[in-house]
Amino acid sequence: TLISGLQQVEYASSVSGNRYKQFIPLLIGLAQDGDGYPHDQILSGLTPLPSQMALGATWKTEDSQMAGFALGSDLAALGVNLLIGPSLDVLDSPIQEGGDDLNVRSFGGDPFWVGEMGRSFIKGIHEGSAGRVSVFSKSFPGRGAADRSLDLEVATVRKSLEQLKQIELAPFFAVTNNPDSKENTDGLFVSHIRYQGFQGNIRATTKPVSLDSSALIQIMALPEFAIWRESGGLIMSDSLGSQALRRFSDPSLQTFDAIQTARSAFMAGNDLLYVDSFSGTVDENSFDAITSTLEFFKQRYNLDPAFADRVNQSVLMILLL
């Protein structure tokens, strides 16, 4: 009822007093990782599903596809049309002391099988929803070897791009270039992770890859992603108001520039910006920060042709989705 009401409000605003404005449905998204609280965002009323690790432990792709089918069917019935998941993270073994605790939100520690289980799960989502739920696989480019939790600080993965291709990126390769389009992810959900030694120099560390245009463009230029991207594959940032990004911007947590953070994420290559708890130092609340950011983007669009082209590219892919 809530989602239907929101879509009705959006439709009413598109036909009220402006015959040139077209109705664009809202994207309604959530994460639903299985196994109940705290990994699910809807805690009752849906088909209870096991965690990804429990599915991975079966070594049966058909079980993963069945779970995806059930979830896709439930979400489509509610009107949810964007799933932030599944996680395609490969668990490091052994887990580093003090490292990021994915808990049971991973299909396992073998890159090939994480890809196989993820591909089957995504196919189930698409089939169960009759194509009405889009899938944004996380946590791109991979957080299984992160040195700390992503909740409070920007984590670091000490691997080169060549090493990432063999382990962290392998499951994402598996869901971007399949002849059966139902097995392909619709988008990638980019995490706030730094990579040390990304270009072979162990002393060099990227910015959080969600904000690092050089690193993200280099990854997306890989043949395994390039065709998928050209075919309309979307990129979505993790929360730009997260404690981790705030601490990265200012370790004292005294200042935070919401507008410039959004601009950096967009120019890095993200088509969709996730703005949870998104308030800057000069903003009273997230609503003010979001409206100020939209106004900034509007001004840049009108003044900067290169920025406008970038916006147009992303908007077109979002509309096609």
Side-chain angles (χ1 to χ4, degrees):
T1 302
L2 172 63
I3 292 173
S4 178
L6 289 169
Q7 297 287 20
Q8 287 290 338
V9 169
E10 180 67 14
Y11 176 75
S13 72
S14 73
V15 298
S16 175
N18 185 350
R19 60 193 180 93
Y20 297 107
K21 184 176 179 182
Q22 299 202 20
F23 171 53
I24 302 169
L26 298 170
L27 285 173
I28 307 289
L30 52 72
Q32 194 79 358
D33 295 330
D35 207 32
Y37 179 83
H39 307 310
D40 284 338
Q41 292 188 317
I42 298 178
L43 302 180
S44 63
L46 303 188
T47 306
L49 295 177
S51 67
Q52 287 188 213
M53 185 170 286
L55 288 172
T58 69
W59 296 91
K60 295 179 180 178
T61 56
E62 57 268 31
D63 286 355
S64 185
Q65 185 172 339
M66 287 173 59
F69 189 98
L71 181 57
S73 177
D74 284 353
L75 294 181
L78 291 177
V80 173
N81 53 25
L82 190 157
L83 175 68
I84 301 175
S87 165
L88 297 183
D89 293 300
V90 180
L91 280 175
D92 234 13
S93 183
I95 294 293
Q96 303 176 54
E97 184 177 350
D100 184 27
D101 183 13
L102 280 164
N103 199 273
V104 294
R105 292 170 293 173
S106 168
F107 289 118
D110 183 284
F112 173 76
W113 275 106
V114 170
E116 289 297 292
M117 298 297 282
R119 188 167 64 179
S120 297
F121 190 86
I122 290 169
K123 184 175 184 178
I125 291 284
H126 286 146
E127 290 184 338
S129 67
R132 296 197 302 275
V133 175
S134 56
V135 177
F136 280 68
S137 302
K138 59 184 180 184
S139 309
F140 188 77
R143 61 185 273 192
D147 63 350
R148 66 197 70 189
S149 171
L150 274 66
D151 295 333
L152 300 177
E153 294 184 78
V154 170
T156 301
V157 171
R158 293 174 174 83
K159 291 187 178 182
S160 68
L161 179 57
E162 289 304 312
Q163 291 173 309
L164 292 174
K165 286 162 64 176
Q166 295 172 18
I167 299 178
E168 277 80 1
L169 289 173
F172 294 100
F173 292 160
V175 300
T176 52
N177 282 304
N178 294 295
D180 184 351
S181 61
K182 293 177 181 177
E183 296 180 346
N184 289 329
T185 190
D186 301 287
L188 298 172
F189 189 73
V190 183
S191 56
H192 305 315
I193 296 180
R194 306 177 75 191
Y195 292 88
Q196 186 174 347
F198 179 77
Q199 293 179 316
N201 180 2
I202 195 61
R203 293 182 178 85
T205 305
T206 69
K207 293 186 290 187
V209 72
S210 54
L211 307 180
D212 193 322
S213 60
S214 176
L216 192 54
I217 288 172
Q218 188 173 349
I219 294 172
M220 296 313 300
L222 294 172
E224 293 86 350
F225 295 132
I227 297 175
W228 172 84
R229 182 71 167 145
E230 290 170 4
S231 301
L234 286 161
I235 304 175
M236 179 179 180
S237 75
D238 201 342
S239 174
L240 298 181
S242 70
Q243 188 82 341
L245 274 193
R246 291 175 182 276
R247 195 178 296 278
F248 178 78
S249 173
D250 178 6
S252 70
L253 296 176
Q254 297 300 305
T255 60
F256 181 68
D257 191 329
I259 290 177
Q260 288 306 316
T261 299
R263 179 184 180 277
S264 295
F266 179 68
M267 295 309 295
N270 295 282
D271 306 294
L272 287 161
L273 306 181
Y274 179 26
V275 287
D276 184 44
S277 302
F278 187 68
S279 58
T281 309
V282 299
D283 305 304
E284 288 191 14
N285 51 51
S286 290
F287 181 82
D288 288 345
I290 291 170
T291 51
S292 297
T293 300
L294 290 172
E295 184 60 33
F296 171 81
F297 271 55
K298 180 180 176 180
Q299 292 174 2
R300 294 297 301 171
Y301 185 91
N302 291 326
L303 295 173
D304 185 346
F307 186 85
D309 285 344
R310 174 75 185 84
V311 170
N312 290 342
Q313 292 171 17
S314 292
V315 168
L316 177 57
M317 290 193 293
I318 293 166
L319 292 177
L320 288 171
L321 176 71

